[in-house]
Amino acid sequence: MDVNQYLDIFLDESREHLQTCNEKLLELEKNPTDLQLVNDIFRAAHTLKGMSATMGYDDMAQLTHHLENMFDAIRNEQMIVTPESMDTMFEALDHLEAMVQSIAEGGDGKRDVTEISKKLDVTGSHAETASAVETAEASSAASDLDYNEFERTVLDEAREQGFKCYELNVTLSDACLLKAVRVYMIFERLNEAGEVVKTVPNAELLESEDFESEFSISYLSKQPMEEVKKIVTAISEVEQVEISEVSAFEEVAPAETKAEKPEQKNEEVAAPAAKAPANDAPKANGNNGAAAGGTKTIRVNIDRLDSLMNLFEELVIDRGRLEQIAKELENNELTDTVERMSRISGDLQSIILNMRMVPVETVFNRFPRMIRQLTKELNKKIELIIEGAETELDRTVIDEIGDPLLHLLRNSLDHGIESPEERVKKGKPEKGTVLLKAYHSGNHVFIEVEDDGGGINRKKVLEKALERGVITEREAETLEDHQIDSLIFAAGFSTADTISDISGRGVGLDVVKNKLESLGGSVSINSTEGQGSLFSIQLPLTLSIISVLLVKLEEETFAIPISSIIETAVIKKSDILQTHDREVIDFRGFIVPVVYLKKQFNVPNANDLEEELHIIVVRKGDKLTAFVVDSFIGQQEVVLKSLGDYLPNVFAISGATILGDGQVALIVDCNALIK
C-alpha cells in the first residue's frame, strides 16, 4: 500500500496525539489517581500505535506498544504513578516526538528504542503477577456468552430457517500490535458467510482494544463448522480458535421473560449486535473515529488556504478599481452593483480570514512540558497558569510567535523567579507563578507573560548598559524607571553574569523585540522591583489585509497602517520648535520629534512655502513621532504585498499595494522610522 498520500494526515494527527499525551501526563502528575486521565492517555497512545504500524514506522509502533502497556497497568490499578514512572513516560514521549520530527523532515523515523522500551518494562514489571490474574479472569469471562430472551428468540428463529448457531472463542497472538484491526478483519470475513449476533467483550470494548487477547463470538451461518473455523484461522495473528454449536436453549421462566423482554428489546432492537462489530470496527489507519453527531470538520492544507487568500487579494484590488470607475462614471446601476459586490466580498473576506484563524493554544500547549523540565534543572518551584488559550490569531502570525514567547518564558524562569529559599526569606510563597495570558482588544491580540519574581534590578541594568556602551553617563542621569526597564531590549544586552542555555546564552531580548516588530507587533514591559514583571506583546490579527491611511507626498501616494496612528492634525509651520538640533512639536504636553516623509523618501519638494502642515502622530511602544505629509486622501483596506527578493532591504518600506486606479502605493514601516 502506498502510504505517502496519507503522510500529512499522519503527521498532523501524530502531533495532536502526542500533545494530548503531554497535557494529560502533566495533569496526571498532579492527580495521580485520576483514572480518566489515564484512559485518555491510553487511547491517544493506542491510536498512535495503530497509525504508526499501518504507515510502516515500526520503531514508533514498538515504543507506543510498551508505553501503552504501562498506561494499561495504571488504569487497571496494577501499578501506581510515581515521579520515576512519570520521568520514564515523558522520556518515551521525547523519543516519539523526535521520530515524528524525523519523518516530517523526510527521514524514515527509525530510532533505537531498545533502552527506553526496557525502562518502560522495568517500571511496570511489578504489575506482571496481577496482570496474569487479570488475563485469567478475562479469559474465563470471554467465553461467557449469556443470551437474553430477545437474543434467544432471534437464534431460535434463525435455526428454524436452516441457520446454525456457532460460538467461537478466538485467541490472538501476544505479538499482535493491532488487535482492533484483526477483530475487524475477522468480522468482515465472517459476515461474508453469515452474521455475527453477539460478542464478549462488546463491540465498543473490542474497538478500543479494551481486552487481553481473547474474545467470544456468537455467529449464525449455513456453513459447516470446520469451514467457519478455517475462515477465522486463515487470518494472520490468530493463534487459536475454539468452536462449538449451540443446539437449544433452556426454557426461561414466564415471570422472568415478562420482566426482561421490553427492556432488552429497547436496548438491542432487530438482531442487535449482528452487524455492529463489523460496521463499527476501527479502520486500518488506526483512527477510532468520532461520534456520529457534533460539528463536522475537514483538514485543509495551509498551502491551499494561502492560494485562496492570494486569489481573494486580487479580488480586493479589482474591487477597489471598480469602485474608482463607478465613482468616475457616476452610473447608478454600476454603483449599485459595485456596492453589492463590496458587501459580498466583505463577507467573503471575513470567512476566509476566519478559516486562517488558529487558537493560540497550539503555541501555548508546548510550554507546560518545558516549564516542568526547566524547574527541575533550575531547582525552582514554579507553576504555569494559562488563560485565554482559545484566543485566535492568523496562522502566519501563530507560526512566528513561538520562539519569542519561549524566550520570554525562559527569561522569567531563569532571571525573574527566585529560588525557593530566597522567596521564603522575602516572605513569598515557596512556589513562584508565571501567568501566560492572551486576549483580544480591537484589531489586535495581546499576549502577556507575567511573573511574581524579583522584578528588574534597575541598578544592575544601568551598570550593564553603561558597561556595554548602550547609553552614556549623561543619559543615565535623566532616564525614568520605564526607560531603564526598556534597556533590556537593546541589542546584545544581558544582565546575566554567566552564559545560560536556559534564557538564551546571553543573547538578550532584542531578538524577541525584532521578531515581534517584523510581524507588525510590539513588546513592552512593566516591572516592580521585588514583586515581578509583566511583558506585554501586541500583535495584529492578520498580516494580509490591513487598514491604512492613504497620504500624498507631491504626486506620490503612500500608505500608513492605521494600527500605528494615534492622531492626525493640521498645524501651522510656526508650531514647529527647535531643540537639540531637532525639529519637534508639543503634542498634548509631550515633546514629539518631527519627520518629513518627503526627505526620508527623497521626493522632490515643491511646497516649502506652505504655512500649514498635515501631520500624523504615530506610536511605537512608548515613543511618539510626527510624520509630515502634503495631504490626507482617506482610510482604505488594502492588500499587503511583499516587495519580493529584488527589493528586500528598502528602508522604512514594509511592502506595497495596488490601488483602485491601478497605481502602486508603498506602505510605510512606522517602526523603522521611529527608530
Side-chain angles (χ1 to χ4, degrees):
M1 180 175 69
D2 180 16
V3 296
N4 288 329
Q5 58 183 315
Y6 305 113
L7 184 59
D8 289 340
I9 297 174
F10 168 77
L11 291 170
D12 286 344
E13 294 197 2
S14 294
R15 292 184 181 114
E16 286 176 13
H17 291 306
L18 286 172
Q19 186 59 47
T20 297
C21 289
N22 269 308
E23 290 172 15
K24 300 295 182 183
L25 272 179
L26 287 167
E27 291 181 43
L28 185 64
E29 193 167 34
K30 298 174 185 174
N31 306 288
T33 58
D34 189 340
L35 293 183
Q36 183 56 49
L37 290 172
V38 181
N39 284 327
D40 292 343
I41 303 166
F42 177 86
R43 279 194 293 271
H46 164 65
T47 305
L48 187 58
K49 178 187 77 173
M51 289 165 52
S52 51
T54 304
M55 293 290 289
Y57 300 120
D58 296 334
D59 290 339
M60 276 189 71
Q62 179 189 339
L63 181 53
T64 45
H65 182 59
H66 289 275
L67 190 60
E68 185 186 45
N69 287 343
M70 179 175 279
F71 294 136
D72 199 32
I74 296 171
R75 70 177 184 162
N76 289 321
E77 300 182 0
Q78 297 163 4
M79 65 173 287
I80 60 172
V81 176
T82 63
E84 293 76 19
S85 63
M86 291 300 304
D87 288 342
T88 305
M89 288 186 278
F90 276 124
E91 186 181 344
L93 290 184
D94 286 340
H95 282 280
L96 291 171
E97 286 171 353
M99 284 187 267
V100 170
Q101 186 60 33
S102 166
I103 295 165
E105 293 170 355
D108 56 12
K110 290 190 178 298
R111 192 179 183 89
D112 185 0
V113 294
T114 308
E115 287 303 314
I116 183 61
S117 297
K118 284 180 182 176
K119 285 178 74 172
L120 288 168
D121 291 342
V122 168
T123 308
S125 61
H126 66 277
E128 286 180 0
T129 305
S131 179
V133 174
E134 190 76 17
T135 303
E137 290 174 355
S139 176
S140 62
S143 61
D144 187 17
L145 275 165
D146 286 329
Y147 302 96
N148 60 48
E149 191 208 342
F150 180 66
E151 291 166 344
R152 295 179 184 212
T153 303
V154 170
L155 295 178
D156 283 338
E157 288 177 358
R159 270 197 297 271
E160 288 174 9
Q161 296 172 25
F163 286 89
K164 295 178 180 179
C165 176
Y166 298 115
E167 289 185 352
L168 295 87
N169 195 53
V170 182
T171 306
L172 299 177
S173 166
D174 290 338
C176 179
L177 289 179
L178 300 172
K179 293 190 291 186
V181 175
R182 295 301 165 207
V183 172
Y184 169 74
M185 292 172 67
I186 291 168
F187 289 145
E188 281 287 285
R189 294 292 304 278
L190 286 175
N191 280 322
E192 290 172 5
E195 193 166 14
V196 174
V197 177
K198 182 171 184 165
T199 66
V200 174
N202 61 32
E204 185 180 339
L205 295 176
L206 289 174
E207 179 181 335
S208 62
E209 296 196 359
D210 197 0
F211 68 104
E212 294 297 330
S213 57
E214 284 188 63
F215 60 97
S216 296
I217 303 169
S218 179
Y219 178 61
L220 290 174
S221 177
K222 291 184 178 180
Q223 296 289 330
M225 185 186 297
E226 285 306 311
E227 201 60 39
V228 172
K229 186 173 183 178
K230 281 181 184 177
I231 290 173
V232 181
T233 52
I235 295 169
S236 61
E237 296 188 313
V238 172
E239 189 172 276
Q240 184 179 347
V241 179
E242 296 174 1
I243 185 168
S244 60
E245 185 178 349
V246 179
S247 53
F249 296 110
E250 294 178 5
E251 286 295 321
V252 181
E256 185 183 352
T257 302
K258 190 173 181 180
E260 287 183 1
K261 189 170 183 177
E263 181 185 351
Q264 296 291 354
K265 195 163 185 176
N266 285 337
E267 284 182 4
E268 307 181 52
V269 176
K275 290 281 185 181
N279 292 344
D280 295 340
K283 302 296 184 261
N285 65 3
N287 247 331
N288 284 339
T295 305
K296 293 182 179 179
T297 60
I298 184 172
R299 291 181 185 273
V300 179
N301 190 304
I302 191 65
D303 292 337
R304 292 186 181 181
L305 286 182
D306 288 339
S307 297
L308 179 63
M309 194 65 185
N310 287 334
L311 289 171
F312 179 74
E313 288 168 357
E314 297 299 325
L315 181 63
V316 171
I317 292 168
D318 290 337
R319 180 183 72 186
R321 178 70 178 138
L322 280 173
E323 288 171 348
Q324 183 83 14
I325 294 170
K327 192 182 295 183
E328 291 172 359
L329 294 179
E330 297 181 352
N331 182 297
N332 290 336
E333 288 186 10
L334 178 59
T335 301
D336 290 344
T337 303
V338 170
E339 285 178 356
R340 176 172 167 75
M341 180 185 169
S342 297
R343 286 196 301 273
I344 293 171
S345 60
D347 293 339
L348 183 60
Q349 175 182 327
S350 297
I351 292 170
I352 293 174
L353 290 179
N354 283 333
M355 286 171 63
R356 294 176 56 86
M357 300 298 271
V358 180
V360 293
E361 68 178 339
T362 56
V363 178
F364 285 8
N365 284 344
R366 72 178 77 161
F367 298 133
R369 174 74 193 284
M370 179 203 76
I371 298 290
R372 177 187 184 271
Q373 186 64 32
L374 292 184
T375 51
K376 288 193 169 190
E377 293 178 21
L378 294 166
N379 292 319
K380 293 180 179 180
K381 295 182 179 180
I382 301 169
E383 179 182 10
L384 175 66
I385 299 172
I386 293 178
E387 294 180 3
E390 70 284 353
T391 306
E392 292 186 328
L393 261 174
D394 190 285
R395 176 63 183 261
T396 52
V397 183
I398 285 281
D399 289 343
E400 299 293 332
I401 63 171
D403 287 343
L405 285 176
L406 182 68
H407 200 106
L408 288 176
L409 284 169
R410 285 179 165 176
N411 185 74
S412 288
L413 265 64
D414 196 10
H415 298 303
I417 303 290
E418 311 95 330
S419 67
E421 296 77 21
E422 285 181 73
R423 292 180 64 84
V424 170
K425 285 178 185 177
K426 293 178 179 179
K428 293 183 176 182
E430 194 177 40
K431 180 184 283 188
T433 302
V434 175
L435 172 65
L436 181 59
K437 179 180 179 182
Y439 59 91
H440 280 124
S441 181
N443 288 325
H444 291 86
V445 166
F446 287 84
I447 299 177
E448 296 178 349
V449 178
E450 184 177 8
D451 66 69
D452 65 348
I456 292 178
N457 185 332
R458 296 191 176 97
K459 182 181 177 183
K460 189 172 184 178
V461 169
L462 278 176
E463 289 174 357
K464 289 285 184 179
L466 289 167
E467 178 186 313
R468 294 172 181 263
V470 175
I471 56 172
T472 64
E473 291 278 1
R474 184 179 174 184
E475 289 172 327
E477 293 171 2
T478 61
L479 290 178
E480 297 181 10
D481 285 352
H482 71 278
Q483 293 173 314
I484 297 172
D485 294 345
S486 297
L487 289 175
I488 66 173
F489 292 114
F493 182 86
S494 175
T495 57
D497 295 318
T498 57
I499 287 176
S500 165
D501 283 325
I502 292 171
S503 59
R505 299 192 60 80
V507 171
L509 295 173
D510 60 308
V511 176
V512 173
K513 187 180 182 186
N514 292 337
K515 169 57 76 174
L516 294 172
E517 287 178 354
S518 72
L519 296 172
S522 61
V523 58
S524 60
I525 182 171
N526 182 16
S527 179
T528 304
E529 196 163 343
Q531 295 181 27
S533 301
L534 169 65
F535 290 88
S536 181
I537 296 171
Q538 177 181 327
L539 292 163
L541 280 175
T542 181
L543 301 181
S544 308
I545 298 175
I546 61 173
S547 293
V548 297
L549 175 65
L550 297 177
V551 300
K552 275 286 185 184
L553 303 179
E554 297 295 340
E555 297 304 315
E556 301 288 338
T557 302
F558 286 79
I560 299 173
I562 293 290
S563 58
S564 298
I565 298 175
I566 302 299
E567 192 170 319
T568 60
V570 178
I571 65 171
K572 293 180 180 177
K573 205 166 188 179
S574 57
D575 292 331
I576 303 286
L577 309 173
Q578 289 281 340
T579 176
H580 298 296
D581 299 326
R582 295 212 50 185
E583 291 187 326
V584 298
I585 61 169
D586 182 355
F587 174 72
R588 304 189 187 284
F590 292 95
I591 301 300
V592 177
V594 173
V595 173
Y596 292 89
L597 290 188
K598 283 198 283 194
K599 289 182 181 177
Q600 290 292 336
F601 299 129
N602 298 316
V603 179
N605 191 356
N607 298 320
D608 277 344
L609 300 177
E610 287 193 4
E611 285 302 314
E612 287 189 337
L613 301 176
H614 293 73
I615 66 161
I616 302 168
V617 180
V618 296
R619 184 212 303 271
K620 173 180 174 279
D622 59 350
K623 295 179 181 177
L624 300 177
T625 300
F627 294 163
V628 177
V629 300
D630 286 348
S631 61
F632 309 131
I633 298 174
Q635 184 176 338
Q636 188 173 323
E637 273 196 339
V638 299
V639 176
L640 176 62
K641 292 286 189 182
S642 167
L643 293 179
D645 296 335
Y646 293 104
L647 301 167
N649 298 312
V650 178
F651 175 70
I653 297 295
S654 58
T657 189
I658 302 173
L659 302 176
D661 59 1
Q663 296 294 310
V664 173
L666 297 176
I667 297 172
V668 178
D669 183 353
C670 299
N671 291 339
L673 285 173
I674 294 173
K675 275 185 180 179

